[in-house]
Amino acid sequence: VSTQSTWGLLILKRMSNRYDAAVTKFSPSGHLFQVDYAFEAVKRGACAVGIKTKDSVILGVERKSMPKLQESGTIKKIFQLDKHLAMACAGLTADARMLTQRTVLECQQYRLTYDQQPSVNYIAKYVAKMKQRYTQVGGRRPFGISSLIMGFDQTKEPMLYLTEPSGSYSLWKASAIGHNAKNVTELLEKKYKDGLSHEEGVKLVIEGLLEVVESGNKNMEIAYMKSDEKLIKMKDEEVKSLIEVVEKEKSPPAAPGAVPIPKQQHNMTNLHFY
C-alpha cells in the first residue's frame, strides 16, 4: 500500500509540473498556475495605495530601503502616462517599465489619430488587454505586476482603475496593491468616505502606507493630480511633515494628570501640496 501511495504522489507531482510549466494550459482545478505565480510576484512588491477624493486622485508608494551607494532617483514606482494620466505599479519593476513605455506610446498614437486625449477607461482597458494577451500565448509569461491608473476624463471627474496580471480591470474609489495590501484595504474600508477633501485623502494614503513600511523606514512617494493640472509629486519634506501629523493623530490621548511632552506643532493650513 505504501508503494502505491508513493507512486501516486509521484504521478500527481509530474502532472502538476505539466500544468505548471505552460501558461496556456489549465490545470484540472481550473487554474493557470503561471498567472497565479504572477499574483504572488505582485504580493512581494512594494505596496501602492490609490484614493479618489472629490477633486483629486492620489497615489502613494512605499519606498523600500536601498543600498547606501545607490541613487534614489533610479527606481520609480509612479509613472506619468499622459498629461492627465499616471500609474503606480506593484511587482516586478522591469515589467512595469516595459508596460509603461508601451502605454505612453499608445497615448501618443491616440492623440495623433483622434486629435484628443485618450480617456482613463480606454487606457485602463488597453493595459488590461495587453496583460490578458500574455496569458494566452505560448512561449511568453504574464506580466508580474498590478497597476493603479489615475486620471481625469473630459467630464473633469477623478477616476482610479485597478488592473491585474490576469488582464482584468475595475474602477475603484480606493484600493491597495502589493505586499500586505489586504491590511491596507481593510483600513481604507473603515476610514474612507465619499466626499473626502484632498488633504484628508493625502493623510489617508499616508496612514495606509504606515501600516506596511519597514521598521525604522518611513520613506514613501506621494503624487496627486487635479483637474486640468499636471501630475504633482510631493516633496520629501512635506511628506515627512504629514507623517508626523498622521502619527500624532493616531497616538492615544495622554492620561489625566500626565505632564505633556512639548512637541513641534504642525498646522495643516501652512502645508503646500506640491
Side-chain angles (χ1 to χ4, degrees), residues 112-233:
L112 288 174
T113 304
Y114 300 103
D115 196 24
Q116 63 181 0
Q117 67 184 27
S119 65
V120 187
N121 178 269
Y122 175 85
I123 294 301
K125 188 182 297 184
Y126 172 80
V127 173
K129 181 180 179 180
M130 189 186 309
K131 290 182 177 181
Q132 194 276 337
R133 187 184 307 157
Y134 276 69
T135 67
Q136 285 188 307
V137 180
R140 298 182 180 181
R141 65 165 177 81
F143 283 93
I145 56 170
S146 286
S147 52
L148 293 171
I149 302 174
M150 71 173 182
F152 284 81
D153 281 339
Q154 294 180 352
T155 59
K156 311 300 182 183
E157 181 181 355
M159 291 188 175
L160 177 68
Y161 280 89
L162 166 66
T163 68
E164 297 179 316
S166 61
S168 62
Y169 74 101
S170 51
L171 185 63
W172 291 74
K173 297 178 180 179
S175 184
I177 54 178
H179 83 100
N180 287 336
K182 182 179 179 181
N183 296 336
V184 181
T185 301
E186 291 176 354
L187 175 69
L188 296 177
E189 290 174 351
K190 291 179 181 178
K191 298 199 171 184
Y192 182 86
K193 57 184 180 181
D194 293 331
L196 280 177
S197 67
H198 173 66
E199 290 78 8
E200 291 173 335
V202 173
K203 290 168 64 177
L204 185 54
V205 168
I206 292 176
E207 186 175 353
L209 290 176
L210 287 175
E211 296 287 322
V212 299
V213 292
E214 298 176 0
S215 178
N217 177 25
K218 298 177 182 178
N219 290 330
M220 56 185 72
E221 183 179 355
I222 307 293
Y224 66 88
M225 186 177 292
K226 293 185 176 181
S227 178
D228 297 326
E229 294 184 12
K230 63 181 182 179
L231 177 70
I232 299 177
K233 294 185 178 181

Side-chain angles (χ1 to χ4, degrees), residues 53-91:
T53 70
K54 62 181 180 181
D55 58 352
S56 66
V57 195
I58 307 156
L59 291 177
V61 180
E62 170 195 6
R63 285 180 184 169
K64 292 190 175 181
S65 58
M66 296 183 299
K68 293 182 179 180
L69 299 180
Q70 183 178 356
E71 292 287 349
S72 59
T74 57
I75 304 297
K76 295 183 179 180
K77 293 289 186 179
I78 299 179
F79 307 92
Q80 185 164 8
L81 305 176
D82 204 336
K83 294 180 180 179
H84 65 298
L85 290 168
M87 179 171 67
C89 299

